[in-house]
């Protein structure tokens, strides 16, 4: 009877996975003699003779079977078929027929596949090697950089003695050097390229390594079986890649970087990848300069700061600066750092510098100059000029320019700009233009984005939701580059200010507090700051904003789309008694509206400004004129006005009546509610507050005042509740004045905030002193603290939030 067949065991794993260690453990359990088969130390015929006479009483151990001569593998296969017990360890790849024959012969036995260690396994191995308990953080680091290969973990273990988390150790470098020294030249060359950890197409990878594409698969399999790849794909294990880079000389590293860059350029792939390799190689050749320049050109609209750095590298390699002037100007303009390069005649044959100059003029708030520059530029300059032309009232040239060649997205923007005179009609077109620009951003510096223009028109139409949606989309898609991102954030704050969301508006304003802005955004920021200060009754802050923006307004370079920002500044100037200095600006806006054919929606804006100035200055006759003009528009052009404009016209009639002390409470309440519904809550609050101060019926006054506070949001309601707390002998109005006195406000500031004159405030303070028996200001402050108690603190809080209308 033949002896029973003994089961063979095959251990499969990449190099460094612990094949030999596993074989030794299995062999130790065999009860009989063990015959190791190293294969490289004796001639193959000697082992062939031994295997031919082997019996089932002896265990054959064949480590690294993939390296054994073919004759030995055939004898091993024959012995396995005779039932000789056998342990075989090999790499995962079966690449020879003799190895395939052996694998088939032992297929009936067990197969052990060695997987990488997990973090717990790495921690255990490190503990055994270092003789100490290894923290999880150290084990996790080693697991990440070694991919869990036991041999690599062992090579990294020595440095853990001092708690260091290094990726490369001398032991690891020595291991890598031994492997590279035994590897064929093509394998070593490929490994050095892969060690850069750059994603490359097969053709580029092969060219950089100096091999044929057909050889790539075989060489990659060799590296994978060497245990140098991660399990996830064809990426070198981080520690292996770092060790290969470290063991190479600086000259060798530069050579590899240059080879990768050359292959990338030859394949006409991303210039940025090639430039990064050349920069790492410290290349300063003419060919490197060309790649640096191409990288800058590729990034100038998407990552302008990086583009400027590549242009600097190109210039350092000898590229003539004038040849890159247009591209550098485009990148700088997108960053908000425009410059005027000194370019010799003929150095800008494409006229790109003129396009940049027009866009920069628009950023500076000089719409007229921007329009002239863009009209003189090559396509798409004239189409880009259309929004600016409309904004300065040049409708005829705008219509002609809109018919010139340009990308479809810019043509849509021009079409929308031509409809600006009718905000409700223009808004859908601007949304469509914004979507088109997002899909296919034109390769130009935009004077303004359709998102920003759409938000401004949406505010004029009383559509805050659409305005915010457009601006959020602009910020998420980075349309227009960094310089436009600042504009979009400021406009977002503006939209929130107009909608009565003062805290969030202040947060957006703070983002740009220390940023140097171009003229257009500087004016918007000043209007935003003035608007917040006006709503809080902060005269000092209003004065600061006005002082900062007055030089910008002195240029007279305002346009139609700045009309509401100018409104805030005009009213601020009127509060500070400096409105005469801004009269030319308001006159310029009125002339633009006239030049556009006096579209009713924009006429409402100019008349409304005049009315608000008359209200601030308490000029009833001027208010009557403004209200009459607005009511006339509402009567004669009602079909061309939107809800917002109609609400302003109705409120104008109430303002005139209030200044005449002719107050119909239901009509005032209706008008102010309507203002709030079209995103003008502050304007409604002011109207209700003034009516409350002038009405003679206390019940009606109380009703109007509560309505005014409700329109200004939760902060106002907090202030109202604070006023209702009892405070001894003081009336509700006297409590309000007392809290503002405690907040350090002057009589004039208190009057401005409460819509009463400074003289009236003085009378209130005198009565408060008399009631509290205070003979000096110090005694008054002490008595107020005692009388108001916690309410004083609440009053100061409410006041600081700008809540009291």
């Amino acid at each position: 009877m033949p002896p029973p067949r003994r089961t063979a065991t095959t251990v499969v794993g990449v190099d460094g996975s612990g094949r030999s260690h596993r074989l030794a453990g299995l062999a130790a359990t065999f009860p009989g003699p063990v015959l190791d088969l190293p294969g490289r130390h004796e001639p193959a015929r000697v082992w062939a003779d031994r295997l031919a006479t082997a019996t089932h009483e002896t265990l054959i151990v064949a480590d690294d079977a993939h390296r054994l001569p073919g004759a030995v593998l055939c004898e091993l296969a024959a012995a396995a078929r005779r039932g000789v017990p056998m342990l075989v360890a090999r790499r995962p790849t079966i690449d020879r027929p003799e190895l395939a024959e052996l694998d088939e012969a032992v297929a009936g036995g067990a197969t052990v596949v060695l997987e990488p260690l997990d973090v717990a396994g790495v921690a255990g191995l490190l503990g055994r090697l270092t003789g100490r308990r290894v923290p999880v953080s150290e084990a996790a680091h080693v697991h990440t950089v070694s991919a869990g290969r036991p041999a690599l973990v062992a090579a990294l273990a020595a440095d853990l003695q001092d708690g260091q988390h290094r990726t490369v150790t001398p032991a690891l470098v020595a291991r890598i050097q031994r492997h590279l020294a035994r590897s064929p030249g093509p394998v070593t060359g490929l490994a050095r390229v892969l060690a850069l950890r750059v994603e490359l197409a097969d053709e580029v990878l092969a060219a950089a390594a100096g091999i044929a594409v057909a050889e790539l698969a075989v060489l990659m399999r060799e590296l994978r079986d060497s245990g140098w790849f991660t399990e996830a794909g064809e990426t070198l294990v981080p520690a292996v890649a770092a060790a290969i880079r470290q063991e190479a000389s600086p000259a060798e590293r530069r050579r590899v970087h240059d080879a990768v860059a050359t292959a990338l350029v030859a394949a006409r792939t991303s210039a940025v990848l090639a430039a990064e390799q050349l920069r790492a190689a410290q290349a300063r050749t003419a060919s490197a300069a060309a790649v640096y320049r191409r990288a800058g050109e590729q990034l100038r609209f998407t990552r302008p700061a990086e583009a400027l750095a590549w242009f600097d590298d190109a210039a350092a390699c000898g590229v003539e600066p004038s040849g890159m002037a247009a591209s550098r100007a485009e990148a700088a303009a997108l960053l908000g750092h425009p410059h005027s390069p000194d370019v010799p005649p003929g150095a800008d044959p494409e006229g790109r510098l003129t396009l940049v100059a027009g866009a920069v003029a628009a950023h500076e708030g000089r719409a007229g100059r921007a329009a002239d520059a863009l009209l003189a530029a090559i396509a798409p300059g004239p189409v880009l000029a259309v929004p600016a032309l409309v904004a300065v009232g040049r409708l005829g040239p705008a219509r002609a320019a809109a018919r010139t060649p340009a990308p479809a997205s810019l043509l849509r923007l021009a079409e929308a700009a031509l409809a600006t005179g009718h905000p409700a009609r223009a808004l859908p077109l601007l949304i469509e233009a914004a979507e088109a620009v997002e899909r296919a951003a034109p390769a130009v510096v935009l004077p303004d984005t359709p998102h920003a223009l759409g938000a401004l028109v949406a505010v004029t139409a009383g559509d805050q939701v659409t305005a915010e949606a457009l601006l959020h989309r602009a910020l998420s898609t980075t349309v227009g580059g960094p310089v436009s991102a600042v504009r979009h954030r400021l406009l977002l704050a503006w939209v929130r200010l107009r909608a009565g969301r003062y805290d969030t508006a202040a947060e957006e304003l703070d983002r740009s507090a220390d940023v140097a802005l171009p003229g257009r955004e500087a004016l918007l920021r000043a209007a935003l700051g003035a608007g917040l200060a006006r709503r809080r009754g902060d005269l000092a802050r209003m004065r600061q904003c006005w002082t900062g923006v007055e030089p910008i307004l002195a240029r007279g370079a305002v346009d139609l789309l700045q009309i509401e920002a100018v409104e805030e500044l005009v009213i601020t100037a009127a509060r500070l008694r400096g409105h005469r200095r801004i009269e030319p600006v308001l006159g310029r806006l009125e002339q633009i509206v006239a030049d556009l054919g006096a579209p009713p929606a924009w006429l409402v804006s100019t008349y409304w400004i005049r009315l608000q100035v008359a209200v601030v200055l308490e000029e009833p006759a001027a208010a009557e004129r403004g209200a009459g003009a607005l009511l006339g528009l509402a009567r004669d052009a009602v079909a061309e006005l939107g809800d917002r404009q109609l609400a302003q016209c109705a409120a104008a009639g109430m303002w005139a009546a209030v200044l005449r002390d002719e107050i119909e409470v239901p009509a005032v309440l209706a008008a102010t509610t309507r203002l709030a519904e079209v995103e003008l809550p502050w304007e409604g609050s002011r109207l209700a507050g003034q009516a409350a101060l002038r009405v003679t019926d206390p019940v009606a006054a109380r009703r109007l005042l509560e309505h005014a506070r409700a329109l200004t949001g939760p902060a106002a309601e907090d202030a109202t509740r604070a006023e209702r707390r009892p405070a001894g002998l003081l009336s509700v109005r006297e409590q309000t004045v007392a809290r503002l006195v405690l907040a350090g406000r002057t009589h004039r500031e208190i009057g401005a905030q409460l819509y009463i004159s400074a003289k009236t405030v003085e009378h209130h303070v005198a009565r408060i002193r008399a009631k509290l028996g205070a003979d000096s200001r110090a005694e008054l402050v002490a008595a107020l603290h005692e009388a108001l108690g916690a309410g004083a603190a609440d009053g100061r809080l409410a006041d600081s939030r700008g809540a009291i209308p």
Side-chain angles (χ1 to χ4, degrees):
M1 179 180 291
R5 179 180 178 86
R6 299 296 179 91
T7 301
T9 299
T10 305
V11 178
V12 180
V14 298
D15 294 353
S17 61
R19 291 190 308 257
S20 298
H21 180 75
R22 181 61 64 90
L23 280 187
L26 293 172
T29 65
F30 190 76
V34 176
L35 180 63
D36 285 323
L37 190 65
R40 293 185 295 274
H41 305 297
E42 298 186 53
R45 66 177 180 274
V46 174
W47 284 104
D49 292 343
R50 292 179 183 176
L51 291 170
T53 59
T55 69
H56 62 274
E57 301 297 333
T58 301
L59 175 67
I60 303 297
V61 178
D63 197 1
D64 288 349
H66 52 278
R67 299 185 187 279
L68 294 175
V72 174
L73 292 173
C74 290
E75 290 297 338
L76 279 171
R81 290 190 181 97
R82 293 198 309 271
V84 175
M86 192 172 297
L87 293 176
V88 177
R90 63 170 175 82
R91 286 176 166 183
T93 300
I94 299 175
D95 56 356
R96 287 184 292 161
E98 297 87 353
L99 186 59
E101 182 180 352
L102 172 61
D103 195 66
E104 184 179 0
V106 299
T111 300
V112 177
V113 178
L114 300 178
E115 302 290 348
L117 300 174
D118 58 14
V119 175
V122 170
L125 178 56
L126 290 173
R128 293 192 295 273
L129 294 172
T130 62
R132 66 181 178 87
R133 183 179 179 277
V134 177
V136 174
S137 60
E138 292 185 11
H141 166 74
V142 174
H143 179 267
T144 299
V145 300
S146 68
R149 307 287 187 217
L152 299 180
V153 173
L156 293 168
D159 270 15
L160 292 181
Q161 299 286 359
D162 56 5
Q164 297 295 317
H165 286 194
R166 298 191 182 97
T167 302
V168 179
T169 65
L172 178 61
V173 172
R175 178 182 176 86
I176 296 301
Q177 287 176 331
R178 289 193 298 270
H179 194 290
L180 291 176
R182 292 195 295 262
S183 299
V187 173
T188 300
L190 179 60
R192 294 199 185 281
V193 174
L194 291 170
L196 300 179
R197 295 177 68 84
V198 179
E199 290 189 15
L200 302 172
D202 286 353
E203 295 78 6
V204 177
L205 178 58
I211 59 176
V213 177
E215 299 179 74
L216 190 60
V218 175
L219 299 180
M220 293 287 278
R221 187 186 306 121
E222 169 65 24
L223 289 173
R224 189 180 300 107
D225 283 348
S226 298
W228 284 11
F229 279 139
T230 62
E231 291 295 302
E234 297 178 347
T235 304
L236 286 187
V237 173
V240 172
I244 293 173
R245 294 195 301 269
Q246 182 167 310
E247 69 87 26
S249 67
E252 177 64 19
R253 288 197 295 270
R254 286 194 293 271
R255 187 200 66 76
V256 174
H257 282 295
D258 189 66
V260 172
T262 302
L264 285 166
V265 171
R268 297 187 179 278
T269 186
S270 168
V272 177
L273 276 177
E276 288 171 348
Q277 299 305 314
L278 290 169
R279 179 184 277 170
Q282 301 176 15
R284 288 293 180 265
T285 62
S287 58
V291 177
Y292 295 150
R293 178 175 176 176
R294 278 180 52 200
E297 298 281 356
Q298 183 176 323
L299 295 179
R300 70 188 192 277
F301 289 114
T302 56
R303 283 141 57 186
E306 293 179 37
L308 291 178
W310 289 122
F311 291 137
D312 289 340
D313 284 351
C317 293
V319 174
E320 181 60 39
S322 62
M324 301 182 292
S327 297
R328 181 180 286 275
E330 288 166 341
L334 288 171
L335 290 170
H337 308 305
H339 70 293
S340 300
D342 186 12
V343 179
D348 182 33
E350 297 176 344
R352 288 160 56 196
L353 283 172
T354 308
L355 284 172
V356 175
V360 169
H363 299 168
E364 289 294 336
R366 299 181 180 275
R369 184 175 297 179
D372 291 337
L374 292 169
L375 282 175
I378 60 169
V383 168
L384 285 171
V386 173
L389 288 166
V390 172
V392 295
R394 296 163 62 182
L395 196 54
R399 288 172 174 153
R403 294 191 290 270
T404 58
S409 58
L410 297 182
L411 289 172
R412 288 190 178 91
L413 176 57
E415 178 188 6
L418 288 173
T420 303
H422 306 278
R425 191 185 311 163
L427 189 53
L429 297 174
L430 285 165
I431 294 172
E432 184 181 354
E435 293 169 348
V437 168
E438 289 171 18
R439 287 193 301 269
V444 293
V445 181
L446 293 174
D448 206 355
T449 67
H451 305 71
L453 296 173
L456 288 168
V457 171
V459 169
T460 303
D463 189 350
Q464 173 218 340
V465 173
T466 297
E468 286 208 38
L470 281 169
L471 294 170
H472 281 304
R473 278 173 48 184
L475 289 168
S476 64
T477 57
T478 66
V479 168
V483 70
S484 292
V486 175
R487 176 162 176 75
H488 294 145
R489 285 197 299 269
L490 284 172
L491 283 172
L492 187 59
W494 177 258
V495 171
R496 291 171 175 172
L497 172 75
R498 300 296 280 181
R501 292 159 60 189
Y502 307 139
D503 290 341
T504 53
E507 290 171 6
E508 292 291 340
L509 180 62
D510 288 343
R511 287 174 179 263
S512 66
D514 300 322
V515 179
L517 298 179
R520 181 178 63 189
E521 274 57 79
L523 184 133
L524 180 58
R525 181 168 63 184
L528 184 57
L532 283 169
R534 188 163 69 91
R535 285 155 177 78
R536 292 172 174 170
D538 187 347
L539 287 177
R541 176 63 177 159
M542 291 167 63
R543 189 173 293 107
Q544 179 184 356
C545 292
W546 169 247
T547 302
V549 80
E550 193 172 11
I552 298 175
L553 289 170
R555 301 181 311 182
V558 294
D559 59 68
L560 183 70
L561 294 172
Q562 294 173 319
I563 196 166
E564 293 207 9
V566 171
E567 174 189 331
E568 286 289 349
L569 294 170
V570 168
I571 297 172
T572 297
R575 288 286 304 274
L576 300 173
R577 297 301 187 264
H579 58 286
R580 300 298 178 194
R581 284 178 287 179
I582 208 171
E583 179 64 32
V585 174
L586 185 52
R588 171 64 181 143
L589 287 174
E590 291 171 336
Q591 184 60 53
I592 290 172
V593 173
D595 291 342
L596 290 174
W602 296 100
L603 276 178
V604 168
S605 296
T606 58
Y607 291 157
W608 180 259
I609 296 175
R610 293 287 187 186
L611 172 66
Q612 295 304 307
V613 171
V615 169
V616 170
L617 298 177
E618 297 186 12
E619 296 178 348
E624 288 284 355
R625 291 193 296 272
L630 285 165
L631 290 170
L633 275 175
R635 181 181 60 251
D636 300 334
V638 64
E640 298 184 59
L641 297 178
D643 290 342
R644 186 174 189 263
Q645 288 74 38
L646 291 172
Q648 288 174 298
C649 292
M654 291 300 101
W655 270 117
V658 165
L659 292 182
R660 294 194 305 268
D661 292 330
E662 298 174 3
I663 300 165
E664 296 181 15
V665 174
V668 171
L669 293 174
T672 55
T673 299
R674 194 172 178 187
L675 285 173
E677 289 171 351
V678 294
E679 309 297 348
L680 293 174
W682 169 249
E683 284 72 6
S685 175
R686 289 182 63 238
L687 175 55
Q690 280 286 354
L693 293 174
R694 293 172 179 269
V695 72
T696 56
D697 182 357
V699 175
R702 182 73 176 182
R703 183 182 177 191
L704 288 166
L705 189 57
E706 288 179 349
H707 183 66
R709 290 190 178 114
L711 291 177
T712 55
E717 295 172 8
D718 293 343
T720 302
R721 286 194 293 270
E723 282 192 354
R724 288 175 178 169
R725 294 191 180 105
L729 301 174
L730 302 184
S731 67
V732 171
R733 172 59 74 186
E734 287 166 350
Q735 290 180 50
T736 302
V737 172
R739 289 190 178 91
L740 294 175
V741 169
L742 285 177
R745 299 294 174 84
T746 66
H747 290 176
R748 177 176 292 183
E749 290 171 343
I750 294 172
Q753 189 155 335
L754 299 180
Y755 306 110
I756 56 179
S757 68
K759 194 71 173 175
T760 302
V761 174
E762 186 177 344
H763 291 320
H764 280 306
V765 172
R767 285 197 297 272
I768 292 169
R769 279 187 174 180
K771 288 181 177 182
L772 298 179
D775 295 328
S776 65
R777 180 171 180 80
E779 290 180 1
L780 174 63
V781 171
L784 287 176
H785 276 297
E786 182 179 354
L788 297 176
D794 289 342
R796 287 194 297 277
L797 175 62
D799 177 63
S800 69
R801 294 161 66 184
I804 302 174

